Each structure stands twice: as structure tokens, then as C-alpha cells.
Amino acid sequence: MTRPGCPRRLTRPMPGLRVPAGLLALVLWPIAWLLSLVLVPPVSVADQPSPGLFGMLVGVASMVIAFTLLLLQFLYFGWLWSTSGQSLGMRVANIRVVRRDGSSLSLVRAGLRGTVGYWISGLVFGLGFIWAAFDGRKEGWHDKLFDTSVLTA
């Protein structure tokens, strides 16, 4: 219990508490990406001498959907982490993300952590996420890149 006016003690969660939050994100975002592949079937237009109008439309639609999903991912994490410090999965696990000094994240830092940072952490078989289990400060690559820590809420 903290007294009014005293800063809240910053404590790191137990190692396994990041897993439920990560699993929720790990399930929801790939589903969105897979749906985009189903909605716009991949068509190889590079092998065709003249892709035609259909091939060009599929290519443009694929780029628009990929950009839209990246933008939604940026806004989802950016808004939630910059306002409450918690995504939906983090609320379930009772953890939050903050800057290393304990301050809250800006919209841009939070959005970039959730898009660029997560993509980099997942790039090599998810090694950037697994890294948090063995790191002394319990930080994944995305935490190190964007100067953040995950703490108990």
C-alpha cells in the first residue's frame, strides 16, 4: 500500500505473467493477417509477362490491406499503451508497460514498440520475445529498443 503523493513502487512481474498477454496478441494478430491473405488471394504477377488489370488490382489491394493492418496494429498498441499502459492481454495478466523511468509511453513510442519492435522480436523464430525470460532485466528486444519495461499493474 502506498501513501498518497508517494510514487508507486515499480515491480517486475513473475516471468510467466507475460505469457498470457503475449499469447492473446500472438493469436489475434496472425488471424487478422491470415484473413487478409484469404480476402486477397496471393497471385504471382511477377512471373507473368503482362500481369493485366486483375493482377495489378490484386497487387494494389494486397498493399492496401497490409498497410491498413500495420496502421491498425500501430493504433491499437499506441492508443492502449499510451493511455493505460495495458493492452487487452496485459489487463488479463495484470501487467503494464512503462518507460524505464516509470513514466508512460507516448503514442508514437507505444505504436512503434507494438509494430516495429514486435516484428523485430518475432523475426528470428520469436527469439526477441523469448529473450525476456533469460534477460537480467526481463526485457525483450522490443523493450530494449524502445526503452520500456513490463511491470505488475
Side-chain angles (χ1 to χ4, degrees), residues 57-71:
L57 288 175
V58 167
V60 168
S62 297
M63 288 189 298
V64 167
I65 288 175
F67 176 78
T68 302
L69 285 172
L70 279 174
L71 180 64

Side-chain angles (χ1 to χ4, degrees), residues 109-127:
R109 182 180 299 268
L112 288 174
R113 179 185 185 270
T115 52
V116 175
Y118 272 16
W119 281 93
I120 290 171
S121 288
L123 194 60
V124 183
F125 305 109
L127 184 60

Side-chain angles (χ1 to χ4, degrees), residues 123-144:
L123 194 60
V124 183
F125 305 109
L127 184 60
F129 296 110
I130 297 168
W131 193 269
F134 303 102
D135 184 66
R137 297 180 62 143
K138 302 300 179 198
E139 295 175 347
W141 292 353
H142 49 284
D143 293 316
K144 294 185 178 304

